[in-house]
Amino acid sequence: MTRRRSSAMFFDPTGARYGIPTWPWRMAPPHLLTVRQLAARGLRPGGQPVVAQVLWRSRRYNAPGGIRAAYLYDERLALPKRVPTDRQRAALGKALAARRVCPDCRRDAGYVLPRHLGVCLDCATEVEVTAA
Ligand SMILES: [Zn+2]
């Protein structure tokens, strides 16, 4: 099989054959990038689904039929990568720890307190019993 035939087989910009728009290796539109390519530009997919793929034949991997796929995202829908600083990480850890401490008995409940109770389960049970 020649390289040209293989390329034609993977040329499906409408997704009629493969379900999503598909191009041969190196022929996808420039605004469609893999996660790794997005990351290299300081971007992340940002919740968007895979919008397209590139397919190519490879003898190096045991992919089904010797065909490999790379999934592509639209750079125009991508968002900046958020890298938390050490300070933000520490603040987040503290916030989570604070949400485990019961304001009534002042113990670390060992779990994040249920928001609708606002206290640990032991204290919540006592309140309910008292109220009944
Ligand atoms: Zn408590």
Side-chain angles (χ1 to χ4, degrees):
M1 177 174 285
T2 68
R3 192 182 161 79
R4 190 173 297 165
R5 268 188 72 154
S6 163
S7 289
M9 188 177 124
F10 297 143
F11 187 78
D12 180 24
T14 63
R17 196 184 314 156
Y18 294 104
I20 57 174
T22 300
W23 287 273
W25 186 238
R26 292 184 198 284
M27 285 183 63
H31 66 275
L32 298 180
L33 302 172
T34 64
V35 167
R36 212 173 271 189
Q37 288 170 327
L38 284 176
R41 298 176 192 203
L43 299 169
R44 61 194 165 92
Q48 68 174 297
V50 168
V51 296
Q53 64 183 351
V54 292
L55 295 179
W56 70 99
R57 291 196 167 276
S58 172
R59 295 191 192 89
R60 281 177 56 206
Y61 297 88
N62 291 323
I67 296 171
R68 295 201 73 208
Y71 300 107
L72 304 178
Y73 299 88
D74 192 326
E75 186 183 14
R76 296 165 301 185
L77 301 173
L79 297 174
K81 239 198 305 187
R82 268 180 304 196
V83 181
T85 64
D86 285 348
R87 269 181 67 179
Q88 284 172 326
R89 234 188 288 264
L92 185 63
K94 259 186 208 168
L96 282 175
R99 285 166 55 197
R100 293 201 313 256
V101 177
C102 173
D104 278 13
C105 63
R106 298 184 174 280
R107 287 178 306 180
D108 183 337
Y111 48 82
V112 172
L113 302 176
R115 195 184 289 265
H116 68 285
L117 296 175
V119 294
C120 73
L121 291 177
D122 288 345
C123 291
T125 307
E126 279 174 31
V127 169
E128 270 173 33
V129 169
T130 310

